[in-house]
Amino acid sequence: MKILFSLITIVLASHLSAQPEPLDNTFNDSGKVYTKFDQFSRSKKIVVQPDGRILFLGQTGNPSNYVIARYLSDGALDPSFGDSGVVVEDMNNGIPNSIHLFSNGKILIGGQANYDSHSISDYALIQLLPNGSLDTTFGRGGKVTGRLDSTRQNLITTVMASDLRIIVIGQYFGPSYPDTMMRGFLMRFHLDGSLDTTFGNKGASTFDFQNNGGHILDAVLLPDSRIAAVCSEDDGEKDSRLHVRFFGWNGNYESSIEPRGEQFFHANYGASICKTADNKLIIAGPARRPNPINMLVAVKLTGDGWRDISFNFGPSLIGGGYIHDVAVTESKDGSIYITGEAAYESGGNTNVLFLIKCLPDGSRDTSFGNRGVLLPAPVGGDIAEYSAAIAADSNNRILVAGVFSTNFLYDQRTIVIKRYIDHPVANVDIGTDVSSLAVHPHPVSNKLTLGYRIERAEAVSCLLYDMEGRLIRTLFTGHRTAGSHTELITITDPIRPGAYFLHLLTRTVKQTASLIFK
């Protein structure tokens, strides 16, 4: 089946936000890329390759298919990958969930295939070559599918790999479904896709969830080849609680804990785990209280499951309604970023993708967003953003992917990828190139003229920060030619009188000037 897609630019009615997004305008000249498909789509994962190219994993179509898109570092679809940058694999109503990039450039995807109305499905693995074509040395023609003995619904949640083996974790229903509850499984494969029968019981290891019900939310492979899995488990009442289960590399179950911050996690609405550079674990997700669930909590654990009490993440109220699809990552400088989907206002139908930045100790980075929390206002009409994924590149830029809709639930066909770049004033030499920025008049009221010069044609952003390093406003972004420029800027929303920094950014130049608003 041919899935149509296009790289598009969406122009929307402007709605000024109290929290402007610090987008990287070297990415598609706007900080955002929209890729529209002709059918319903979902965002699953995003990965940054060592060369800066970006892999996106999602699903599209009805019945659904796996979709993998690769973008160049500047946001353009990579013409050397698949069909003009996109690969669509028909897995007979399959659901992709996880992606792994090998050091040789091969791409491994795990999920579900052959799902039907009777809850019959197979676990599925697909391996692609670096150019997006199926790797025919893997499995049967690049694919591996199957079921555990006498089971019905099989789903791989997370795929992990080293240079020696592939290990997957997921869940399944027994043969008498729906009379039996979901169980968990781990499986190990050789790199050619054949089952490693030395693992567990002939290649597979199974386990029960608490109170005989639950499912896997996320998992990571630890340095000692053990596995840490975040699970939603039945609490015996009406809700599910989050547990972290630890498994040995041979598939044996070791231990389980129920982590908590100031609140217990509410696992009904998802959670995410990431491994930090110091080999600890960050877990983020919604809290069990209040109602509606709009409080986010996060904890840091050692590889043995002990809570790191030096990680001081206070609960955060996000938006006005339910939080979903939380994802967490660590940037190269040790900062922690958490994204997810949240209702922008209480009782509203508009969802947005929020972004939180924390310092390595878990405290909010107050130079980012509104004291560490970015909740961008909808930019017009009945618009919603769903199903968040997150990744960090080697330049500390953060990529957030989701689904963009202009008609609430009925037009979820456009994938949006945003790239954020954080420019705290403290990291900028205030004396650098100040003479090349000219601001008139001064002090500033509601209009100003900015004169500057750049030596090459490139994207330019002009950002306004307060004296504490908080981003107040993005004054303009766009592509400019080499040479001298004059920008007339009108301030439509009043800015509090006081001292500020004006920050002009390109890919190669940082220029800063101080100014006074009266």
Side-chain angles (χ1 to χ4, degrees), residues 42 46 98 175 223 234 250 258 278 329 376 454 514:
R42 292 287 287 176
I46 190 167
S98 185
D234 187 2
N250 60 358
E258 183 181 7
D278 60 356
T329 193
I454 55 176
S514 59

Side-chain angles (χ1 to χ4, degrees), residues 362-420:
S363 61
R364 305 294 185 279
D365 184 343
T366 58
S367 70
F368 182 82
N370 183 3
R371 299 189 179 276
V373 180
L374 179 67
L375 186 72
V379 287
D382 188 16
I383 289 175
E385 296 173 324
Y386 302 92
S387 75
I390 194 169
D393 70 12
S394 60
N395 295 311
N396 288 319
R397 296 176 298 195
I398 305 302
L399 290 117
V400 173
V403 176
F404 179 89
S405 171
T406 57
N407 189 24
F408 193 42
L409 294 177
Y410 307 108
D411 188 32
Q412 295 180 34
R413 296 182 295 174
T414 301
I415 299 300
V416 58
I417 300 177
K418 306 178 185 182
R419 190 162 74 191
Y420 294 94

Side-chain angles (χ1 to χ4, degrees), residues 25-300:
N25 60 40
T26 67
F27 188 65
N28 195 36
D29 284 338
S30 64
K32 301 180 183 182
V33 170
Y34 297 91
T35 307
K36 188 172 184 178
F37 294 84
D38 66 345
Q39 297 186 39
F40 176 90
S41 301
R42 292 287 287 176
S43 169
K44 291 293 184 176
K45 298 290 182 181
I46 190 167
V47 174
V48 183
Q49 297 185 176
D51 61 6
R53 287 183 287 185
I54 300 152
L55 282 168
F56 166 83
L57 174 66
Q59 68 183 88
T60 188
N62 186 18
S64 66
N65 299 276
Y66 291 25
V67 59
I68 308 98
R70 190 164 73 191
Y71 300 84
L72 302 176
S73 182
D74 63 4
L77 281 167
D78 182 355
S80 69
F81 184 79
D83 180 6
S84 302
V86 176
V87 171
V88 177
E89 285 296 333
D90 184 357
M91 296 300 288
N92 192 17
N93 203 20
I95 300 173
N97 277 313
S98 185
I99 186 169
H100 176 82
L101 180 68
F102 286 100
S103 57
N104 61 8
K106 291 184 179 182
I107 302 159
L108 182 64
I109 299 157
Q112 180 185 53
N114 307 316
Y115 181 82
D116 66 19
S117 60
H118 301 288
S119 297
I120 302 296
S121 67
D122 299 332
Y123 61 77
L125 291 170
I126 298 177
Q127 186 154 291
L128 304 179
L129 297 173
N131 65 3
S133 60
L134 285 168
D135 179 6
T136 57
T137 67
F138 180 80
R140 181 175 295 180
K143 301 179 181 181
V144 172
T145 60
R147 302 176 198 165
L148 277 72
D149 291 342
S150 302
T151 61
R152 295 176 64 87
Q153 184 176 349
N154 294 258
L155 172 67
I156 291 175
T157 301
T158 306
V159 58
M160 301 158 282
S162 67
D163 290 333
L164 298 174
R165 295 287 189 275
I166 297 164
I167 189 163
V168 303
I169 189 167
Q171 59 259 351
Y172 69 95
F173 283 115
S176 58
Y177 171 82
D179 297 323
T180 57
M181 301 298 291
M182 190 84 80
R183 302 186 71 218
F185 72 85
L186 294 98
M187 300 179 73
R188 194 165 76 193
F189 298 85
H190 297 288
L191 295 182
D192 63 0
S194 60
L195 193 61
D196 180 359
T197 56
T198 67
F199 179 84
N201 181 13
K202 298 181 180 179
S205 175
T206 62
F207 60 93
D208 290 317
F209 295 104
Q210 178 176 283
N211 294 319
N212 202 31
H215 58 277
I216 308 293
L217 300 173
D218 202 359
V220 293
L221 187 64
L222 300 174
D224 57 4
S225 298
R226 294 161 57 245
I227 299 107
V230 177
C231 307
S232 170
E233 306 204 21
D234 187 2
D235 66 357
E237 300 174 1
K238 65 177 182 178
D239 291 328
S240 294
R241 293 196 178 190
L242 184 143
H243 288 250
V244 181
R245 288 176 172 261
F246 293 90
F247 302 88
W249 177 238
N250 60 358
N252 62 301
Y253 168 69
E254 293 182 348
S255 62
S256 175
I257 64 166
E258 183 181 7
R260 63 166 295 172
E262 299 301 322
Q263 293 273 346
F264 282 107
F265 287 86
H266 197 312
N268 284 2
Y269 296 93
S272 178
I273 186 171
C274 79
K275 182 177 63 179
T276 63
D278 60 356
N279 294 320
K280 294 184 178 180
L281 305 171
I282 303 291
I283 300 164
R288 289 175 64 86
R289 299 290 184 270
N291 189 21
I293 308 300
N294 69 328
M295 179 180 287
L296 187 79
V297 289
V299 296
K300 189 173 187 178

Side-chain angles (χ1 to χ4, degrees), residues 335-380:
S335 299
I336 305 298
Y337 290 86
I338 306 170
T339 189
E341 165 196 333
Y344 183 68
E345 296 175 326
S346 178
N349 289 332
T350 299
N351 289 6
V352 295
L353 299 180
F354 64 85
L355 185 61
I356 293 177
K357 181 184 179 185
C358 300
L359 299 174
D361 66 0
S363 61
R364 305 294 185 279
D365 184 343
T366 58
S367 70
F368 182 82
N370 183 3
R371 299 189 179 276
V373 180
L374 179 67
L375 186 72
V379 287

Side-chain angles (χ1 to χ4, degrees), residues 29 454-460 478-482 506-509:
D29 284 338
I454 55 176
E455 298 303 320
R456 53 181 287 184
E458 55 186 332
V460 177
H479 196 275
R480 300 293 186 267
T481 59
T506 72
R507 185 180 301 189
T508 57
V509 176

